[in-house]
Amino acid sequence: MRTTASRTVLSLAALGLFVAGCGDDSKGSGVSEPAPHTRPRALEVAKAWDGSSAAETWRSGYYPLGDPVQLPDGAFHSGADKEAYLSRNFALRGDLPKTSRKDAKVTWRDGDSLTLPLMDARATYDKLGGGNGPGPRLTVTGAKLGETTVATSRGPATVPAWLFTIDGYDTPLKRVALAPSKPPKSPISAVDSPTNELWELNRVVAVAADGRSVTVRAHHGACDDGPAVDVLETDDSVVLSGYMVGTKDGICTAQLLAEKVTVELDRPLGDRILLDAYTGRPVRGAE
Protein backbone atom coordinates (compact mmCIF):
# COMPACT_ATOMS: atom_id res chain seq x y z
CA MET A 1 0.00 0.00 0.00
CA ARG A 2 1.61 3.25 -1.16
CA THR A 3 0.60 6.32 0.80
CA THR A 4 1.27 10.01 0.48
CA ALA A 5 1.78 12.41 3.34
CA SER A 6 -1.41 13.45 5.08
CA ARG A 7 -2.60 17.03 4.78
CA THR A 8 -5.20 19.15 6.53
CA VAL A 9 -7.77 21.50 5.04
CA LEU A 10 -9.49 24.02 7.28
CA SER A 11 -12.83 25.72 6.82
CA LEU A 12 -12.82 29.51 6.68
CA ALA A 13 -14.39 29.55 10.13
CA ALA A 14 -11.30 27.90 11.54
CA LEU A 15 -9.26 30.84 10.28
CA GLY A 16 -11.45 33.33 12.12
CA LEU A 17 -12.69 34.97 8.92
CA PHE A 18 -16.31 34.63 9.93
CA VAL A 19 -18.46 33.17 12.66
CA ALA A 20 -20.26 30.06 11.46
CA GLY A 21 -24.00 29.90 11.90
CA CYS A 22 -26.34 26.94 11.95
CA GLY A 23 -26.37 25.22 8.58
CA ASP A 24 -23.69 27.51 7.13
CA ASP A 25 -22.58 26.29 3.70
CA SER A 26 -19.42 28.34 3.24
CA LYS A 27 -16.67 26.60 1.34
CA GLY A 28 -13.39 25.84 3.05
CA SER A 29 -9.95 27.04 2.06
CA GLY A 30 -6.78 25.14 1.31
CA VAL A 31 -4.73 26.23 4.31
CA SER A 32 -2.70 23.53 6.07
CA GLU A 33 -1.69 23.11 9.68
CA PRO A 34 -0.53 20.13 11.77
CA ALA A 35 -3.37 17.61 12.04
CA PRO A 36 -4.41 15.87 15.25
CA HIS A 37 -3.82 12.17 15.69
CA THR A 38 -5.85 11.10 12.65
CA ARG A 39 -3.14 9.28 10.69
CA PRO A 40 -3.12 5.91 12.58
CA ARG A 41 -6.87 5.48 12.14
CA ALA A 42 -6.71 6.60 8.50
CA LEU A 43 -4.00 4.02 7.82
CA GLU A 44 -6.10 1.30 9.46
CA VAL A 45 -9.07 2.16 7.27
CA ALA A 46 -6.98 2.27 4.09
CA LYS A 47 -5.33 -1.06 4.91
CA ALA A 48 -8.71 -2.72 5.59
CA TRP A 49 -10.22 -1.56 2.28
CA ASP A 50 -7.29 -1.71 -0.14
CA GLY A 51 -7.56 -5.00 -2.06
CA SER A 52 -10.63 -6.17 -0.11
CA SER A 53 -13.74 -7.89 -1.48
CA ALA A 54 -15.72 -4.85 -0.31
CA ALA A 55 -13.57 -2.64 -2.53
CA GLU A 56 -14.14 -5.00 -5.46
CA THR A 57 -17.92 -4.79 -4.93
CA TRP A 58 -17.74 -1.00 -4.64
CA ARG A 59 -15.85 -0.69 -7.93
CA SER A 60 -18.42 -2.80 -9.77
CA GLY A 61 -21.47 -0.84 -8.58
CA TYR A 62 -23.09 2.52 -9.15
CA TYR A 63 -22.34 4.91 -6.29
CA PRO A 64 -22.97 8.58 -7.18
CA LEU A 65 -20.95 11.33 -5.55
CA GLY A 66 -22.42 14.77 -5.16
CA ASP A 67 -25.87 16.13 -5.91
CA PRO A 68 -28.30 14.06 -8.04
CA VAL A 69 -30.06 17.31 -9.03
CA GLN A 70 -28.87 19.65 -11.78
CA LEU A 71 -30.52 23.05 -11.49
CA PRO A 72 -31.93 25.01 -14.44
CA ASP A 73 -29.71 27.62 -16.06
CA GLY A 74 -29.85 30.87 -14.13
CA ALA A 75 -31.29 29.32 -10.99
CA PHE A 76 -32.42 30.98 -8.98
CA HIS A 77 -34.37 33.98 -10.28
CA SER A 78 -35.29 35.11 -6.77
CA GLY A 79 -34.69 34.49 -3.12
CA ALA A 80 -38.16 32.99 -2.91
CA ASP A 81 -37.30 30.39 -5.58
CA LYS A 82 -34.11 29.48 -3.74
CA GLU A 83 -36.00 29.16 -0.47
CA ALA A 84 -38.55 26.90 -2.16
CA TYR A 85 -35.81 24.63 -3.50
CA LEU A 86 -33.90 24.42 -0.22
CA SER A 87 -37.11 23.64 1.67
CA ARG A 88 -38.03 21.03 -0.97
CA ASN A 89 -41.32 22.78 -1.58
CA PHE A 90 -42.63 21.93 -5.08
CA ALA A 91 -46.10 22.13 -6.59
CA LEU A 92 -47.19 19.92 -9.48
CA ARG A 93 -49.42 21.53 -12.11
CA GLY A 94 -50.50 18.87 -14.58
CA ASP A 95 -49.66 15.19 -15.01
CA LEU A 96 -46.32 13.44 -15.01
CA PRO A 97 -45.60 11.07 -17.91
CA LYS A 98 -45.65 7.30 -17.56
CA THR A 99 -43.10 5.01 -19.15
CA SER A 100 -43.04 1.30 -19.91
CA ARG A 101 -39.30 1.15 -19.35
CA LYS A 102 -38.31 -0.76 -16.22
CA ASP A 103 -34.52 -0.60 -16.52
CA ALA A 104 -31.87 1.86 -17.69
CA LYS A 105 -28.10 1.92 -18.11
CA VAL A 106 -25.32 3.75 -16.37
CA THR A 107 -22.46 4.24 -18.84
CA TRP A 108 -18.94 5.24 -17.85
CA ARG A 109 -16.42 6.97 -20.08
CA ASP A 110 -14.34 3.81 -20.48
CA GLY A 111 -17.35 2.06 -22.01
CA ASP A 112 -18.33 -0.02 -18.99
CA SER A 113 -22.04 -0.04 -18.22
CA LEU A 114 -24.47 -1.31 -15.61
CA THR A 115 -28.22 -1.93 -15.90
CA LEU A 116 -30.34 -0.82 -12.94
CA PRO A 117 -34.06 -0.31 -12.23
CA LEU A 118 -35.39 2.96 -13.65
CA MET A 119 -37.16 5.28 -11.24
CA ASP A 120 -40.42 6.55 -12.76
CA ALA A 121 -41.29 10.23 -13.04
CA ARG A 122 -43.56 10.26 -9.99
CA ALA A 123 -41.03 8.57 -7.71
CA THR A 124 -38.31 10.91 -8.95
CA TYR A 125 -40.54 13.94 -8.36
CA ASP A 126 -41.17 12.72 -4.82
CA LYS A 127 -37.40 12.60 -4.31
CA LEU A 128 -37.31 16.33 -5.05
CA GLY A 129 -39.65 16.87 -2.13
CA GLY A 130 -43.01 17.51 -3.71
CA GLY A 131 -44.22 18.98 -0.42
CA ASN A 132 -47.22 21.22 0.16
CA GLY A 133 -45.70 23.19 2.99
CA PRO A 134 -46.11 26.91 3.69
CA GLY A 135 -43.99 29.49 1.92
CA PRO A 136 -42.85 29.87 -1.68
CA ARG A 137 -42.99 26.95 -4.12
CA LEU A 138 -41.43 25.95 -7.41
CA THR A 139 -44.08 24.83 -9.87
CA VAL A 140 -43.43 21.75 -12.03
CA THR A 141 -45.46 21.83 -15.24
CA GLY A 142 -44.18 18.68 -16.96
CA ALA A 143 -41.34 16.20 -17.39
CA LYS A 144 -39.61 14.02 -19.95
CA LEU A 145 -36.98 11.30 -19.74
CA GLY A 146 -33.46 12.30 -20.73
CA GLU A 147 -29.86 11.97 -19.56
CA THR A 148 -27.31 13.79 -17.49
CA THR A 149 -23.72 13.28 -16.34
CA VAL A 150 -22.85 12.65 -12.70
CA ALA A 151 -19.70 12.03 -10.69
CA THR A 152 -19.53 8.48 -9.35
CA SER A 153 -17.08 6.31 -7.45
CA ARG A 154 -15.87 5.09 -10.85
CA GLY A 155 -15.56 8.51 -12.44
CA PRO A 156 -18.07 10.52 -14.51
CA ALA A 157 -21.02 8.55 -15.90
CA THR A 158 -23.99 9.18 -18.16
CA VAL A 159 -27.23 8.25 -16.41
CA PRO A 160 -30.96 8.54 -17.12
CA ALA A 161 -32.65 11.56 -15.58
CA TRP A 162 -36.10 13.07 -15.52
CA LEU A 163 -36.08 16.59 -16.93
CA PHE A 164 -38.69 18.61 -15.05
CA THR A 165 -40.05 21.81 -16.58
CA ILE A 166 -40.12 24.55 -13.94
CA ASP A 167 -42.48 27.49 -14.38
CA GLY A 168 -40.45 30.62 -15.17
CA TYR A 169 -37.28 28.81 -16.30
CA ASP A 170 -36.14 28.17 -19.87
CA THR A 171 -34.18 25.00 -19.14
CA PRO A 172 -35.26 21.98 -17.06
CA LEU A 173 -34.32 20.83 -13.61
CA LYS A 174 -32.69 17.41 -14.01
CA ARG A 175 -32.96 14.69 -11.37
CA VAL A 176 -31.15 11.34 -11.68
CA ALA A 177 -33.67 8.51 -12.18
CA LEU A 178 -31.67 5.73 -10.52
CA ALA A 179 -31.03 4.63 -6.95
CA PRO A 180 -27.45 3.75 -5.92
CA SER A 181 -26.34 0.12 -5.76
CA LYS A 182 -26.49 -1.60 -2.38
CA PRO A 183 -23.23 -0.78 -0.55
CA PRO A 184 -20.96 -3.61 0.62
CA LYS A 185 -20.34 -4.33 4.27
CA SER A 186 -17.31 -2.42 5.51
CA PRO A 187 -14.25 -4.54 6.36
CA ILE A 188 -13.59 -2.31 9.39
CA SER A 189 -15.94 -1.11 12.13
CA ALA A 190 -16.63 2.51 13.06
CA VAL A 191 -14.94 4.36 15.90
CA ASP A 192 -16.82 3.87 19.18
CA SER A 193 -17.71 7.52 19.72
CA PRO A 194 -16.77 10.89 18.20
CA THR A 195 -14.14 13.14 19.73
CA ASN A 196 -12.82 16.57 18.77
CA GLU A 197 -9.96 14.74 17.02
CA LEU A 198 -12.20 12.58 14.82
CA TRP A 199 -15.78 13.15 13.74
CA GLU A 200 -18.06 11.56 11.17
CA LEU A 201 -18.34 13.42 7.87
CA ASN A 202 -21.79 14.40 6.64
CA ARG A 203 -21.62 13.70 2.89
CA VAL A 204 -19.90 14.43 -0.41
CA VAL A 205 -21.08 17.68 -1.99
CA ALA A 206 -19.08 17.64 -5.24
CA VAL A 207 -16.07 16.23 -7.05
CA ALA A 208 -14.20 18.62 -9.35
CA ALA A 209 -14.42 17.90 -13.07
CA ASP A 210 -10.72 17.03 -13.15
CA GLY A 211 -10.99 14.92 -9.97
CA ARG A 212 -8.29 16.93 -8.22
CA SER A 213 -10.50 18.17 -5.39
CA VAL A 214 -13.44 16.90 -3.35
CA THR A 215 -15.91 19.02 -1.38
CA VAL A 216 -17.57 17.45 1.66
CA ARG A 217 -19.82 18.66 4.45
CA ALA A 218 -17.94 18.28 7.73
CA HIS A 219 -19.50 18.39 11.19
CA HIS A 220 -18.58 20.64 14.08
CA GLY A 221 -20.18 22.05 17.22
CA ALA A 222 -21.28 25.43 18.54
CA CYS A 223 -18.19 25.99 20.73
CA ASP A 224 -15.32 25.64 18.27
CA ASP A 225 -13.82 27.49 15.32
CA GLY A 226 -15.16 25.07 12.72
CA PRO A 227 -14.27 21.79 11.01
CA ALA A 228 -11.10 20.65 9.30
CA VAL A 229 -10.43 17.61 7.13
CA ASP A 230 -7.19 15.66 6.93
CA VAL A 231 -6.55 13.52 3.83
CA LEU A 232 -4.50 10.36 3.39
CA GLU A 233 -4.04 9.07 -0.16
CA THR A 234 -3.08 5.56 -1.26
CA ASP A 235 -3.07 3.88 -4.66
CA ASP A 236 -6.55 2.45 -4.00
CA SER A 237 -8.27 4.87 -1.62
CA VAL A 238 -8.53 8.41 -0.27
CA VAL A 239 -9.26 8.51 3.46
CA LEU A 240 -10.75 11.71 4.90
CA SER A 241 -10.56 12.46 8.63
CA GLY A 242 -12.94 15.14 9.88
CA TYR A 243 -12.27 16.90 13.17
CA MET A 244 -12.86 20.18 14.99
CA VAL A 245 -10.42 23.02 15.61
CA GLY A 246 -10.36 25.74 18.25
CA THR A 247 -12.54 23.83 20.71
CA LYS A 248 -13.41 25.74 23.88
CA ASP A 249 -13.85 24.50 27.44
CA GLY A 250 -16.94 25.14 29.51
CA ILE A 251 -20.69 24.87 29.03
CA CYS A 252 -21.78 24.56 25.40
CA THR A 253 -25.11 24.12 23.64
CA ALA A 254 -25.63 20.70 22.05
CA GLN A 255 -25.65 21.67 18.38
CA LEU A 256 -24.37 19.68 15.43
CA LEU A 257 -23.47 22.03 12.58
CA ALA A 258 -21.96 21.35 9.17
CA GLU A 259 -19.90 23.34 6.68
CA LYS A 260 -18.49 22.70 3.24
CA VAL A 261 -14.77 21.91 3.19
CA THR A 262 -12.83 21.45 -0.05
CA VAL A 263 -9.93 18.98 -0.02
CA GLU A 264 -7.21 19.17 -2.68
CA LEU A 265 -5.74 15.84 -3.85
CA ASP A 266 -2.26 15.04 -5.13
CA ARG A 267 -3.76 13.34 -8.18
CA PRO A 268 -7.28 12.81 -9.57
CA LEU A 269 -9.65 10.73 -7.47
CA GLY A 270 -10.37 8.38 -10.38
CA ASP A 271 -11.83 5.09 -9.15
CA ARG A 272 -10.14 5.30 -5.77
CA ILE A 273 -12.61 4.81 -2.92
CA LEU A 274 -13.38 7.93 -0.88
CA LEU A 275 -13.49 6.77 2.74
CA ASP A 276 -14.49 8.32 6.08
CA ALA A 277 -11.91 7.53 8.77
CA TYR A 278 -14.54 7.71 11.50
CA THR A 279 -17.13 5.31 10.05
CA GLY A 280 -14.69 3.12 8.14
CA ARG A 281 -17.12 3.33 5.20
CA PRO A 282 -17.26 5.25 1.92
CA VAL A 283 -18.37 8.84 2.32
CA ARG A 284 -21.97 8.92 1.14
CA GLY A 285 -23.26 11.14 -1.62
CA ALA A 286 -26.46 13.16 -1.59
CA GLU A 287 -29.63 11.10 -1.68
Side-chain angles (χ1 to χ4, degrees):
M1 176 181 69
R2 187 187 68 81
T3 64
T4 63
S6 60
R7 299 173 305 287
T8 299
V9 178
L10 293 165
S11 73
L12 291 176
L15 301 177
L17 298 183
F18 69 94
V19 178
C22 182
D24 196 296
D25 270 348
S26 299
K27 184 178 289 188
S29 72
V31 178
S32 296
E33 72 165 22
H37 302 295
T38 60
R39 189 173 178 84
R41 170 64 182 180
L43 285 167
E44 288 178 2
V45 172
K47 183 177 180 180
W49 274 88
D50 291 358
S52 67
S53 59
E56 185 177 347
T57 298
W58 186 263
R59 289 195 176 91
S60 65
Y62 165 64
Y63 301 101
L65 303 175
D67 200 327
V69 176
Q70 181 179 326
L71 297 175
D73 294 341
F76 293 97
H77 291 342
S78 67
D81 283 0
K82 183 175 182 179
E83 180 184 345
Y85 177 73
L86 292 177
S87 61
R88 300 165 65 91
N89 209 14
F90 288 79
L92 178 60
R93 189 173 70 205
D95 297 323
L96 294 174
K98 298 184 183 298
T99 178
S100 59
R101 289 179 58 182
K102 300 298 182 183
D103 299 312
K105 279 188 176 182
V106 180
T107 305
W108 284 272
R109 288 181 177 175
D110 61 4
D112 282 351
S113 63
L114 182 65
T115 300
L116 292 170
L118 177 70
M119 194 181 302
D120 66 25
R122 183 71 214 195
T124 306
Y125 173 76
D126 290 343
K127 286 287 186 181
L128 289 175
N132 293 311
R137 300 177 185 175
L138 289 172
T139 300
V140 174
T141 59
K144 65 178 181 180
L145 189 60
E147 293 181 334
T148 191
T149 300
V150 297
T152 78
S153 59
R154 297 163 61 178
T158 300
V159 300
W162 284 102
L163 281 53
F164 293 97
T165 305
I166 306 295
D167 189 29
Y169 290 84
D170 295 330
T171 58
L173 179 151
K174 300 179 181 180
R175 208 291 178 184
V176 173
L178 298 173
S181 301
K182 181 180 178 181
K185 182 179 179 181
S186 175
I188 186 171
S189 59
V191 173
D192 289 338
S193 60
T195 67
N196 293 336
E197 293 186 347
L198 191 60
W199 201 275
E200 180 179 357
L201 296 171
N202 182 285
R203 62 178 175 85
V204 181
V205 175
V207 177
D210 61 3
R212 294 299 297 263
S213 67
V214 176
T215 300
V216 297
R217 284 176 60 85
H219 285 131
H220 69 106
C223 298
D224 55 65
D225 292 331
V229 178
D230 190 52
V231 55
L232 174 73
E233 299 187 45
T234 77
D235 287 341
D236 297 322
S237 63
V238 174
V239 186
L240 303 181
S241 303
Y243 64 99
M244 301 176 189
V245 295
T247 55
K248 301 171 179 62
D249 295 330
I251 298 174
C252 183
T253 58
Q255 290 177 273
L256 185 60
L257 308 177
E259 292 177 29
K260 292 180 183 178
V261 179
T262 297
V263 178
E264 302 292 335
L265 303 179
D266 286 340
R267 57 189 175 89
L269 179 63
D271 67 351
R272 292 185 294 170
I273 305 173
L274 191 66
L275 297 165
D276 182 347
Y278 178 86
T279 64
R281 299 190 300 268
V283 186
R284 67 184 183 89
E287 299 177 355

